[in-house]
Structure formats: C-alpha cells, structure tokens
Amino acid sequence: MGEFDLIARYFQRPTSRAVLGIGDDCALLQPATGMQLAISSDMLVEGRHFFADVDPSTLGHKALAVNLSDLAACGAQPLAFTLALALPRADEAWLAAFSRGLFALADEHGCELVGGDTTQGPLNICITVFGEVPHGQALLRSGARAGDDVYVSGTLGDARLALEALRGNITLPPGWMAAARIRLEQPSPRVALGMALRGVASAAIDISDGLIGDLGHILRAAQVGARIDTAIAVDLLAGDVDGRVAQGVFHHEARLACVLAGGDDYELAFTAPVSARAAVEAAALEARTPVTCIGNIESAPGLRLMDAAGQRVSGNFASFDHFA
Ligand code: ADP
Ligand code: MG
C-alpha cells in the first residue's frame, strides 16, 4: 500500500463544512462572517505521551481530543483539522482502528479532516485544529480579575491514577480502574461548555498539565493571584462511584496531589465575576457539564492553597511520592 492509497483508504472523506478537503496542495476554509479562526496544534509522541501498545482507536480519539480541548478553552466551535502522521510501517489493522477512533470523535464535534502529511518514521501524531469564534469573544487567559470566582469543570485526578496503575505503582479497584482508564485514554473535550462560557467567563484554560500548573498560566497572564479551597478541591477526584471510595483507598494528601497536579485531565479551569454566578450555572446546565467553584482570584500574585480551617497548606504537589 502506497502513501496515496493509505490516505485515500483511511483518511479521505467528503467534507461539508470545509470548502475543499484532502487532495489538493491546500485545504480551503471559509469562516462565517464576523467569526475569527482559532488554531491550535498538539503532538503525541510514542513513549512520551502514550504507551507503544495502546489501543490504536483510543489513540485516534485522544490525539484529536487534546486538540479539541484547546478550542474548548478558547470558547471556539470546531471546524476542521489536519493530521501529520509518522508511521513505522503501513499496518492496516492499526490504521483502521486509529482512523475509527479519530473519526468517531471528529463526527461527534462536526470537525472535518481536511489535510495533513504522511511519512515513514517513529510513530508520531501531530494534529492542528481550526475552530471559529465570534469576533472578540474568544476566552483568553489574561482576563481574570481580582474578586472573580475560580471554577473547574468535571472531575480531576483520575487520569493520573490510571497512569500510575498502568505503570504498576498503585492498584485501583477494578470498577474505578475501568472508569479512570477512560479518563486517561479517551478524555471528553469540554467544547460545549467552552462555547456556553463565551461572554460569561473572564478567563479560561484547559487542564492538561495539572490544575496548579495550568491555573498558574492564567494568574501570570492576568498578573493576579488566587486562593484555592483544598477541602472542596480534594473531592473532585471521581473515584469509584462518587468519590467516597477514593477516601477509603488513598489518604487525603495523595488525593489532593492527583487533583492539583495529576495531569491529562482535559477539563476547563476558568474564572468569572461574582455577578455571573447564575450565568455560569446556566452555562453548565446547557453544556451538561458540572462545574465547581474552588476559590477566588486575588490581586496579590501567587497561588495560596487553604485547608478547611483556613490555614495555608504546604507541600510539593508536583511530586508523586505521596503514593509511597
Ligand atoms: P504535498 O506533497 O503537497 O505536501 P501530499 O502528497 O503530502 O501533498 O498529500 C496529498 C494530499 O493528502 C494533501 O491534500 C494532503 O493534505 C493530504 N494528506 C496527506 N497525509 C494526510 C493525512 N495523514 N491525513 C489527511 N490528509 C493527508
Ligand atoms: Mg506532503
């Protein structure tokens, strides 16, 4: 199977939103009047971002999901994407499963594959997504203001637990492991929530490297600080059913470390003025995505983690010695 057969068989599909898809030197997109293009790239490298033996259909899902998550964080609606692929060999079973996982998520979000590049080499997947957002309405990191509430969507930390379990460092109860593994391998980008938060949130980011690290990007961009209530945050771990099992399996500090610094969550962290509380709730309902207020923005720079008694929490949540 040659390069062009491979593209035609596994990746070429008719487009409806793009003016021109795969097959020419460029694809053509026509953003609607009054819309701006939102563009983002993410690369997945074997050994660094996924295990060599990962199910190729979940890999296709995740490669696109991490990109859609960036569009979500800007409040953009997905439009199209390109796929640059380095493959060690043209393995038909692998390609069929990979493209199945990829297109299932693409179809869910009306996002069309419009081009790319294919080459032989160590497995490497680079996707660029294109979305559209009404002029001036993109959610930026720099918009957070002192007094704003700090929110996160969904649950945090379970992807990291699945990773630690796959590495053999911990054991999760079977039901929890199955759910956590889906969080790690097939995250759901919060596209609907990002769009619903246009004009409501003052700033947003997607959580790919852990809450503390990614919230830090908002704080630096907006030149503000934040206070986070760890007694609320610790319960964001999804756990087996509703977090209660998590309390019995891991001690408080381990759960908090997963929530604050787990990574691979692909939830949104965002800020909104207190006056927008009802609008945030309405956005969460519309997007069918729960959100939790975990603290607030302050003018003094830095991130302050507080416990239930209002005392500063110390501890290095970037490290995972907590499972030792
Ligand atoms: P060029 O030589 O102009 O870079 P190619 O021969 O690499 O073009 O690709 C031919 C067509 O197939 C182009 O439209 C390109 O965008 C598309 N394409 C190549 N690889 C992929 C891929 N992995 N997924 C989707 N489209 C691809
Ligand atoms: Mg080329």
Side-chain angles (χ1 to χ4, degrees):
M1 184 173 49
E3 177 187 334
F4 299 105
D5 292 334
L6 184 158
I7 295 164
R9 194 171 316 169
Y10 296 105
F11 298 116
Q12 194 155 15
R13 305 201 314 176
T15 55
S16 59
R17 304 185 71 197
V19 178
L20 183 67
I22 291 172
D24 214 305
D25 296 306
C26 291
L28 295 173
L29 301 180
Q30 178 65 60
T33 312
M35 302 297 255
Q36 291 177 317
L37 272 184
I39 303 166
S40 182
S41 288
D42 258 306
M43 184 151 60
L44 268 66
V45 177
E46 183 180 301
R48 171 86 194 138
H49 300 100
F50 58 89
F51 297 113
D53 62 350
V54 71
D55 173 352
S57 75
T58 68
L59 189 57
H61 175 109
K62 185 159 179 178
L64 182 59
V66 302
N67 279 279
L68 292 175
S69 181
D70 284 313
L71 290 183
C74 282
Q77 174 161 29
L79 192 59
F81 67 106
T82 61
L83 169 67
L85 200 55
L87 295 169
R89 70 201 82 81
D91 176 338
E92 302 205 22
W94 190 95
L95 280 160
F98 176 82
S99 65
R100 188 171 4 97
L102 180 78
F103 283 124
L105 185 66
D107 291 347
E108 213 178 288
H109 291 279
C111 194
E112 299 180 328
L113 179 56
V114 295
D117 199 19
T118 306
T119 177
Q120 203 256 325
L123 185 55
N124 189 320
I125 303 156
C126 183
I127 287 181
T128 299
V129 278
F130 302 83
E132 49 180 21
V133 59
H135 192 277
Q137 283 193 37
L139 303 174
L140 305 182
R141 298 176 180 185
S142 53
R145 295 291 174 263
D148 285 358
D149 291 321
V150 176
Y151 297 87
V152 295
S153 66
T155 61
L156 295 176
D158 289 81
R160 179 57 179 262
L161 284 178
L163 180 65
E164 295 298 331
L166 290 174
R167 284 173 172 164
N169 295 336
I170 59 170
T171 305
L172 284 178
W176 186 356
M177 181 60 190
R181 198 163 173 170
I182 289 174
R183 292 302 313 251
L184 175 68
E185 295 180 344
Q186 293 171 282
S188 300
R190 301 303 191 186
V191 172
L193 180 64
M195 288 170 63
L197 287 171
R198 290 175 190 161
V200 175
S202 49
I205 191 167
D206 68 316
I207 305 174
S208 51
D209 298 330
L211 174 62
I212 288 182
D214 288 321
L215 184 58
H217 293 304
I218 287 184
L219 302 185
R220 276 186 296 279
Q223 295 186 292
V224 292
R227 161 183 295 253
I228 298 301
D229 186 339
T230 60
I232 296 175
V234 72
D235 287 332
L236 289 172
L237 203 65
D240 206 344
V241 184
D242 57 5
R244 266 175 292 158
V245 172
Q247 295 175 25
V249 177
F250 299 109
H251 57 80
H252 178 89
E253 195 166 74
R255 284 184 285 136
L256 194 54
C258 286
V259 167
L260 296 178
D264 260 352
D265 297 301
Y266 302 102
E267 294 291 351
L268 297 185
F270 61 97
T271 62
V274 172
S275 60
R277 278 182 185 165
V280 168
E281 245 172 71
L285 265 179
E286 183 191 331
R288 297 181 191 191
T289 308
V291 303
T292 307
C293 180
I294 57 165
N296 54 277
I297 298 291
E298 298 176 329
S299 51
L303 185 64
R304 288 163 287 282
L305 303 173
M306 314 305 291
D307 67 16
Q311 300 296 309
R312 284 284 289 272
V313 174
S314 57
N316 173 18
F317 291 100
S319 113
F320 266 73
D321 295 343
H322 305 277
F323 291 110

